[in-house]
C-alpha cells in the first residue's frame, strides 16, 4: 500500500497523528470513518496523486496508530471540533494552508466541522455516506434505532468496552474481508480494532456524537452558519441513505450554500469497493 508515500507521525499539539502523504499539486485531505484507518484510501489516494493532487491520509486522533487524548467527562477530547483542529494543524505543518477535504462515515462529520470552523482553510468539501449528526438524530425512528443501534450502545459507559475487547474480531471482523479491503489494509484494520485504547477512543467518538457534537451542530443552525465552499455529497447505492432519508441531498441543502451530489454504485466502504468511480467523481469536482 501507498508506494512512494511518506509515512510518519506528526505532533499537532495534544496528540501525534500517523499520516501518509504524497504528490504535488492542489492538496486534498482524505478522512476515514469508523472503524477504519487512513489505509481505507489505499486504492484512491495513489490514483489522485497520479492525477496531479497532493494527497494527505491521516489516522484521526484515537484511531489506528494516532495518539489517544486524555479522556474528559463530556467526551470532548474526541469531538469533531477537536479532531478537525488536529487536521487543520496537520495541513498547516505540511505546507497546505488551504485544501480540499473529503470525509467518509465518521470522517464526514469531521470534514463538515472543518468546513464550518475553518472556512478560511477548506476550499472544497466532499462528504460520503453520512448526514449531519443532528439531522440523523432529529429523524431517528424505530428503523434507525434498530439498524443503527450501535450509536446508542457505544454511548453507554464501560459496557461496550467490556463487550468489544472480549472478542474484537467477532465484533468488527465478520464483515471485513481481506479480498474486498486488500490484504494490507485488512491487517492494519485488525491491528487497530484489537487495541483496547483504540476501541475506547472509537467509542468516545460516538459518545461525543450524541453530546457535544450535536450541540455544536445545533448552535451552527441557530446562528445561521453554513458551508460556504462548493460541496459534493456522494452516497453508496447499497448503503441506506435513500432508505433512511429519501432524498439525502435535501437533508444537506440547509447546510451548504453550493451543493451538488449523486449516488455511486457501491456498498458502504466506497473507497475500497469502487475506487475507480469515486476517484473519477473526486477528480471532476476538485478540478
Amino acid at each position: 500500500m501507498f508506494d512512494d508515500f511518506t509515512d510518519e507521525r506528526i505532533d499537532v499539539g495534544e496528540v501525534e497523528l500517523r499520516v501518509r502523504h504524497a504528490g504535488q499539486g492542489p492538496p486534498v485531505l482524505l478522512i476515514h470513518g469508523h472503524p477504519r484507518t487512513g489505509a481505507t484510501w489505499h486504492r484512491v489516494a495513489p490514483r489522485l496523486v497520479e492525477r496531479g493532487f497532493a494527497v494527505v491520509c491521516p489516522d484521526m486522533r484515537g484511531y489506528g496508530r494516532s495518539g489517544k487524548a486524555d479522556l474528559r467527562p463530556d467526551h470532548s477530547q474526541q469531538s469533531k471540533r477537536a479532531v478537525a483542529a488536529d487536521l487543520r494543524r496537520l495541513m498547516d505543518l505540511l505546507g497546505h494552508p488551504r485544501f480540499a477535504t473529503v470525509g467518509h462515515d465518521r470522517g464526514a462529520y469531521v470534514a463538515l466541522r472543518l468546513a464550518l470552523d475553518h472556512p478560511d482553510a477548506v476550499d472544497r468539501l466532499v462528504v460520503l455516506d453520512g448526514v449531519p449528526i443532528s439531522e440523523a438524530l432529529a429523524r431517528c425512528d424505530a428503523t434507525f434505532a434498530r439498524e443503527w443501534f450501535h450509536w446508542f450502545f457505544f454511548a453507554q459507559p464501560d459496557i461496550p468496552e467490556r463487550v468489544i475487547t472480549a472478542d474484537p474480531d467477532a465484533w468488527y471482523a465478520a464483515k471485513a474481508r481481506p479480498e474486498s479491503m486488500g490484504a494490507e489494509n485488512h491487517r492494519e484494520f485488525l491491528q487497530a480494532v484489537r487495541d483496547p485504547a483504540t476501541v475506547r477512543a472509537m467509542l468516545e467518538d460516538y459518545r461525543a456524537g450524541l453530546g457535544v457534537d450535536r450541540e455544536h451542530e445545533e448552535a451552527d443552525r441557530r446562528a445561521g452558519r453554513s458551508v460556504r465552499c462548493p460541496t459534493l455529497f456522494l452516497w453508496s447505492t447499497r448503503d441506506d441513505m435513500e432508505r433512511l432519508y429519501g432524498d439525502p441531498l435535501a437533508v444537506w441543502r440547509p447546510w451548504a450554500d453550493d451543493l451538488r451530489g449523486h449516488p455511486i454504485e457501491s456498498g458502504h466502504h466506497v473507497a475500497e469497493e469502487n475506487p475507480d468511480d469515486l476517484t473519477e467523481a473526486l477528480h471532476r469536482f476538485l478540478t
Side-chain angles (χ1 to χ4, degrees):
M1 293 190 300
F2 295 98
D3 291 342
D4 301 320
F5 276 64
T6 298
D7 186 347
E8 60 181 329
R9 292 177 64 87
I10 295 180
D11 188 341
V12 295
E14 193 174 11
V15 295
E16 286 188 349
L17 299 183
R18 189 266 183 94
V19 58
R20 300 171 173 104
H21 56 97
Q24 301 292 325
V28 182
L29 171 67
L30 302 179
I31 312 173
H32 65 85
H34 171 272
R36 297 301 204 252
T37 71
T40 195
W41 302 105
H42 73 103
R43 292 173 175 146
V44 172
R47 288 170 164 87
L48 290 175
V49 169
E50 290 172 1
R51 294 183 182 221
F53 294 95
V55 180
V56 179
C57 301
D59 292 354
M60 292 189 288
R61 72 157 61 188
Y63 284 76
R65 298 181 190 173
S66 283
K68 280 63 173 166
D70 293 339
L71 300 181
R72 298 175 189 163
D74 65 353
H75 317 292
S76 60
Q77 86 287 342
Q78 203 65 39
S79 70
K80 309 310 166 287
R81 177 159 285 161
V83 180
D86 289 344
L87 298 181
R88 168 68 189 274
R89 176 66 174 153
L90 173 68
M91 295 301 279
D92 281 343
L93 291 170
L94 291 175
H96 306 308
R98 193 160 172 80
F99 52 91
T101 299
V102 181
H104 175 255
D105 186 76
R106 305 302 288 186
Y109 309 139
V110 176
L112 171 62
R113 181 51 50 198
L114 257 170
L116 290 168
D117 284 2
H118 306 280
D120 58 320
V122 178
D123 58 17
R124 290 192 175 246
L125 172 66
V126 183
V127 285
L128 310 175
D129 285 327
V131 301
I133 292 171
S134 58
E135 299 285 0
L137 292 174
R139 292 164 172 76
C140 180
D141 58 11
T143 298
F144 185 95
R146 181 179 64 250
E147 298 187 14
W148 289 56
F149 77 96
H150 62 281
W151 277 36
F152 310 104
F153 174 63
F154 287 175
Q156 304 308 307
D158 301 324
I159 294 174
E161 283 90 340
R162 293 170 62 189
V163 171
I164 294 170
T165 59
D167 192 348
D169 286 14
W171 186 270
Y172 282 117
K175 296 181 180 179
R177 302 297 183 190
E179 313 87 66
S180 61
M181 292 180 65
E184 291 182 68
N185 179 28
H186 186 260
R187 282 195 294 271
E188 185 170 308
F189 155 79
L190 286 179
Q191 183 181 39
V193 300
R194 290 169 177 170
D195 177 5
T198 299
V199 170
R200 179 175 287 273
M202 293 193 297
L203 296 173
E204 287 288 300
D205 179 346
Y206 283 82
R207 291 164 181 153
L210 296 190
V212 292
D213 292 332
R214 181 182 188 177
E215 293 166 7
H216 293 159
E217 290 185 4
E218 290 173 344
D220 290 327
R221 301 314 301 141
R222 289 193 298 271
R225 284 189 288 271
S226 59
V227 177
R228 301 202 299 253
C229 65
T231 301
L232 176 67
F233 175 53
L234 301 172
W235 65 97
S236 301
T237 56
R238 288 180 274 114
D239 206 0
D240 53 6
M241 287 289 103
E242 292 183 16
R243 186 165 54 82
L244 288 174
Y245 306 114
D247 176 9
L249 283 171
V251 181
W252 273 104
R253 284 192 185 101
W255 291 85
D257 298 346
D258 178 0
L259 177 71
R260 65 210 73 177
H262 59 85
I264 289 183
E265 173 58 29
S266 180
H268 179 64
H269 293 286
V270 58
E272 297 168 0
E273 297 176 38
N274 192 350
D276 290 335
D277 285 355
L278 177 57
T279 300
E280 187 60 35
L282 294 176
H283 185 220
R284 286 197 305 268
F285 179 66
L286 299 175
T287 54

